């Protein structure tokens, strides 16, 4: 994920309420990016980054859509400044995608057979003793 440039535009009212949490999540992101990848597969080294990215976007999504704790201006500011992923949030608003872990899991071009990722398959359709883990982000099942 690209580094985010913050504008010098003054943030909207209510920013002081969510800024500490977003800064804490940014710190987690920096730790995840600088974490050693020795002994891990190439894709496994990115899993913590995807997890923190999901956490940050979910935080902003829940503040605006679920708890209605922030204004529309603050929500749009967070999207514009890169604090949350607008495409991922757009998917969360659609039925069937409420628990989506990342956008790579629904991209059919990233799979061998042109289908969704294995983590999108409902647990009832899989063997009970089979452990499923997404190769893209490390998700263990986000189909709902």
């Amino acid at each position: 994920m690209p580094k985010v440039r913050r504008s010098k535009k003054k943030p909207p009212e209510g920013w002081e309420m969510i800024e500490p949490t977003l800064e804490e999540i940014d710190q987690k992101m920096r730790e995840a990016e600088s974490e050693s990848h020795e002994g891990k597969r190439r894709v496994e080294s990115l899993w913590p980054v995807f997890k923190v990215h999901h956490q940050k976007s979910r935080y902003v999504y829940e503040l605006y859509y679920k708890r209605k704790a922030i204004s529309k201006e603050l929500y749009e500011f967070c999207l514009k400044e890169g604090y949350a992923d607008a495409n991922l949030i757009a998917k969360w608003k659609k039925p069937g995608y409420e628990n989506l872990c990342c956008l790579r899991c629904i991209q059919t071009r990233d799979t061998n057979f042109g289908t969704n990722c294995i983590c999108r398959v409902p647990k009832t359709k899989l063997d009970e003793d089979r452990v499923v883990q997404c190769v893209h982000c490390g998700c263990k099942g986000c189909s709902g």
Side-chain angles (χ1 to χ4, degrees), residues 18-36:
I18 66 170
E19 184 180 22
T21 306
L22 289 175
E23 291 298 324
E24 180 182 323
I25 296 172
D26 274 341
Q27 181 61 33
K28 284 183 188 177
M29 180 66 87
R30 284 190 287 278
E31 289 171 8
E33 288 172 344
S34 64
E35 187 177 286
S36 173

Side-chain angles (χ1 to χ4, degrees), residues 50-59 88 92 100-101:
F50 277 106
K51 184 178 177 186
V52 174
H53 177 72
H54 176 273
Q55 181 183 5
K56 190 178 353 177
S57 295
R58 183 57 99 174
Y59 174 69
L88 188 57
W92 286 338
L100 182 65
C101 54

